[in-house]
Amino acid sequence: MAKQHSLTLFLPLLLFFLHCISFAQAQAQAPAPSGPTNITKVLEKAGQFTTLIKILKATQQDDRLNSQLNNSNQGLTVFAPTDNAFANLKSGTLNTLNSQQQLQLIQFHILPALYTLSQFQTASNPLSTQAGNSGDGQYPLNVTTSGNQVNITTGVVNATVANTIYSDSQLAVYQVDQVLLPLALFGSPAAPAPAPSKPEKSVRAADSPSGSSDPSVDSSGVMSLKNKPVAVITIIYAVMAAICLLI
Ligand SMILES: *[C@@H]1O[C@H](CO)[C@@H](O)[C@H](O)[C@H]1NC(C)=O
Ligand SMILES: *[C@@H]1O[C@H](CO)[C@@H](O)[C@H](O)[C@H]1NC(C)=O
Ligand SMILES: *[C@@H]1O[C@H](CO)[C@@H](O)[C@H](O)[C@H]1NC(C)=O
Ligand SMILES: *[C@@H]1O[C@H](CO)[C@@H](O)[C@H](O)[C@H]1NC(C)=O
Ligand SMILES: *[C@@H]1O[C@H](CO)[C@@H](O)[C@H](O)[C@H]1NC(C)=O
């Protein structure tokens, strides 16, 4: 009889602890609330973007990007040329630009929408950048894709997306192997092009709260277990399995 009693106590206790463990796990998996994304921090952490960081600072686009990330639900995509990419520019290229043109050069690297790598596959050229007018001879930026490989052409340079440096539901930062030089600053006007089209809306990952399902444990009518240890163990395993499925 004592054995049966300990079993009738044991089962609810086991269920209780299982529930506690699963609840704790759900808590641990919940994303920790973090401050707004800081583009400078993202680039610093990635390394090899000191020139880009310098220009972002000089043109105050770091602050602008950070406040865009903090204050709106707007998605952003940043093409980040490496220090190597800047070093490979013809010498004096940046110095020939006045501050307004430097601003436009940087804004040309920023898309006012979030693009995942796969979303580039369906994007319609030319893409809009923060530099504005994507019309011919201005600031058109075209992408071509093959699987997850994304190439960019500006009409002046052809670049390749080398790497995803950062991505969340609001911001994507891609490493590019070349500075994206816009036609308006570095090119000669080419043949007329069709009217620019807007990039598609960004797709946002739904923020689903991690609710742990609560399997209500009915401990009131504990089965009469008699002296059938095999049956008891089977029941315990069945209940555990059921809980696992419910979690
Ligand atoms: C972003 O990070 C940089 C460098 O880590 C820091 O200097 C700057 O104050 C940060 N900006 C914000 C808005 O937190
Ligand atoms: C982010 O926005 C909130 C609300 O608009 C503001 O209170 C906060 O100071 C901002 N944080 C930063 C780092 O800009
Ligand atoms: C991208 O550019 C690379 C190097 O120029 C080339 O080999 C590749 O075929 C291009 N891919 C696409 C999808 O345009
Ligand atoms: C970009 O794509 C548009 C539309 O396909 C095309 O008209 C334009 O010539 C392209 N520009 C460049 C620089 O490739
Ligand atoms: C970019 O690629 C296009 C098409 O593949 C080619 O016609 C053009 O010469 C290339 N431009 C540069 C600067 O490499």
Side-chain angles (χ1 to χ4, degrees), residues 23 25-27 29-32 205-213:
F23 182 71
Q25 281 172 344
Q27 294 281 300
Q29 283 161 7
D207 238 359
S208 60
S210 68
S212 68
S213 54

Side-chain angles (χ1 to χ4, degrees), residues 29-86:
Q29 283 161 7
S34 59
T37 311
N38 181 329
I39 186 71
T40 312
K41 280 215 175 97
V42 167
L43 292 171
E44 276 174 356
K45 195 172 163 209
Q48 61 174 329
F49 296 100
T50 53
T51 311
L52 177 61
I53 292 169
K54 228 188 293 178
I55 302 174
L56 283 169
K57 238 176 228 165
T59 56
Q60 280 152 28
Q61 291 304 288
D62 54 347
D63 290 342
R64 181 173 175 206
L65 282 172
N66 287 337
S67 82
Q68 278 179 319
L69 290 169
N70 185 33
N71 297 333
S72 73
N73 292 323
Q74 186 192 13
L76 288 171
T77 300
V78 176
F79 293 118
T82 58
D83 288 337
N84 250 342
F86 280 104

